[in-house]
Amino acid sequence: MLERYIEKNIFRQVYLCQQLYQKKKIALHTMAERLNVCTITITNDLELLKESFGQEILTFERTKNTCKASFSSAYSLLELTQRIFRRSDFLRVLNDFLSGNTHWSEIAEKEFLSTSKIYQIRADIFEFAEEFGYLQSDHTIKLPEKDLRYLLLAISRYTGDRSAIPYNKMIASSAADLIDYVEEHFFDRDYPSSEREIIILGSQLSSQRARQFPIQFSDDEKQTAQQTPLFGLLREGVKTLKSTICTNEEELFFIYSLFNARNYLCNNLELLQKDFEVVYQNHIKCYPELEKLLQQLRSALNISIENELL
């Protein structure tokens, strides 16, 4: 939901970086069509990328119609895109605002922004708040605790900036132990390092804010979570490990939401199949509208029976 408010030039450069990193070669005309700009704009963005990643890009060759580049394997795509996103004034100001600094002049001074620029971003933040129902009748912004935490995590994921989430070594260790517990006991899951980091950061937020800023989930959200094996496993893991990351039941639902939203790997096809079946039973079959959508997809995409579950 943040994508529409991030500066268009930042978003374009991230997309071009992703395409070059993964495909090595891109067509300028194709990129221009996808991003709804002219090829000159694409060319300028590519030149900026070249300047920004002088050490990270090993080879760079641009012709009238194409661009080829190879990146050093020492740098991950996530690391590169985070560096681009860190140039987003909107994300940096929003991060400051969500962290509790509501004095726009102070934020402008901290981020080296002009008065006109900071008030333009302020208008964007208020528009964002109004779109998602956070803007109150007295023109103040009030976010539900759950949404505020998710936004802080999203910004951290985009930019790599951890300043809004204080680090606690004990909490980080407990969160890592809980991830290991889930990986060992739940379909041989393997959470990549970038996904583990989000769970650990979310656990830090939970520990930091639980007492002063309690989080709430709806009865429907709780009921859905409680029906899943993952929630039961997390509850068991917190108890078995005598973990310090869940101070109450509501925070356990938050930790569950962190795990449930993460990507994971599995090298055992049989276990992965069983995991898919659990997901299907708990997140699709009980929702008629999703089942109807699946039927339409099966028909439109001519999905065979053996690939139906996938």
Side-chain angles (χ1 to χ4, degrees), residues 21-67:
Y21 192 96
Q22 295 168 342
K23 298 180 179 179
K24 315 298 184 186
K25 181 179 180 180
I26 58 175
L28 272 59
H29 180 70
T30 301
M31 295 297 103
E33 284 188 342
R34 290 181 183 177
L35 296 171
N36 195 29
V37 294
C38 65
T39 54
I40 295 177
T41 300
I42 297 297
T43 299
N44 292 336
D45 286 333
L46 290 170
E47 287 300 316
L48 186 56
L49 286 178
K50 180 184 176 182
E51 294 176 11
S52 301
F53 298 133
Q55 293 182 332
E56 295 77 9
I57 295 178
L58 301 177
T59 62
F60 184 91
E61 179 183 344
R62 185 174 57 80
T63 67
K64 181 180 179 181
N65 300 314
T66 64
C67 181

Side-chain angles (χ1 to χ4, degrees), residues 61-114:
E61 179 183 344
R62 185 174 57 80
T63 67
K64 181 180 179 181
N65 300 314
T66 64
C67 181
K68 293 195 297 184
S70 62
F71 291 81
S72 169
S73 59
Y75 302 92
S76 69
L77 177 57
L78 178 61
E79 181 181 356
L80 297 176
T81 57
Q82 284 178 339
R83 283 173 54 182
I84 300 172
F85 276 125
R86 278 199 290 272
R87 299 204 304 265
S88 168
D89 293 333
F90 175 79
L91 288 178
R92 295 200 315 275
V93 172
L94 180 60
N95 195 50
D96 288 331
F97 181 79
L98 294 177
S99 300
N101 188 356
T102 57
H103 299 285
W104 300 103
S105 57
E106 291 182 9
I107 297 176
E109 184 176 350
K110 175 179 178 290
E111 301 296 343
F112 302 102
L113 298 172
S114 66

Side-chain angles (χ1 to χ4, degrees), residues 208-267:
Q208 171 199 355
R209 299 181 63 87
R211 293 180 181 177
Q212 189 174 358
F213 304 102
I215 195 169
Q216 292 183 332
F217 289 84
S218 69
D219 290 340
D220 287 343
E221 289 173 323
K222 291 179 181 179
Q223 184 177 5
T224 299
Q226 289 168 336
Q227 292 173 350
T228 65
L230 177 58
F231 182 82
L233 183 64
L234 286 170
R235 173 179 277 163
E236 178 185 325
V238 168
K239 181 179 179 180
T240 301
L241 299 171
K242 298 180 180 179
S243 179
T244 58
I245 65 174
C246 289
T247 58
N248 56 53
E249 186 80 353
E250 294 289 339
E251 293 300 330
L252 181 58
F253 284 106
F254 177 64
I255 297 298
Y256 164 80
S257 74
L258 295 175
F259 275 86
N260 197 46
R262 304 273 62 82
N263 295 320
Y264 61 89
L265 307 173
C266 180
N267 292 324

Side-chain angles (χ1 to χ4, degrees), residues 261-302:
R262 304 273 62 82
N263 295 320
Y264 61 89
L265 307 173
C266 180
N267 292 324
N268 187 313
L269 188 59
E270 182 179 353
L271 289 177
L272 189 61
Q273 180 90 351
K274 291 180 180 179
D275 196 2
F276 282 161
E277 290 172 357
V278 169
V279 171
Y280 178 76
Q281 291 294 328
N282 290 286
H283 296 289
I284 296 176
K285 190 174 181 180
C286 54
Y287 295 101
E289 64 274 17
L290 287 180
E291 182 62 33
K292 182 179 179 180
L293 175 61
L294 274 182
Q295 294 292 351
Q296 295 172 347
L297 288 172
R298 293 185 186 112
S299 175
L301 300 177
N302 194 26

Side-chain angles (χ1 to χ4, degrees), residues 119-138:
Y119 280 101
Q120 175 192 333
I121 297 173
R122 178 183 180 275
D124 290 339
I125 290 176
F126 271 76
E127 182 182 339
F128 169 80
E130 184 175 17
E131 179 180 356
F132 292 98
Y134 304 142
L135 190 63
Q136 307 299 298
S137 57
D138 60 357

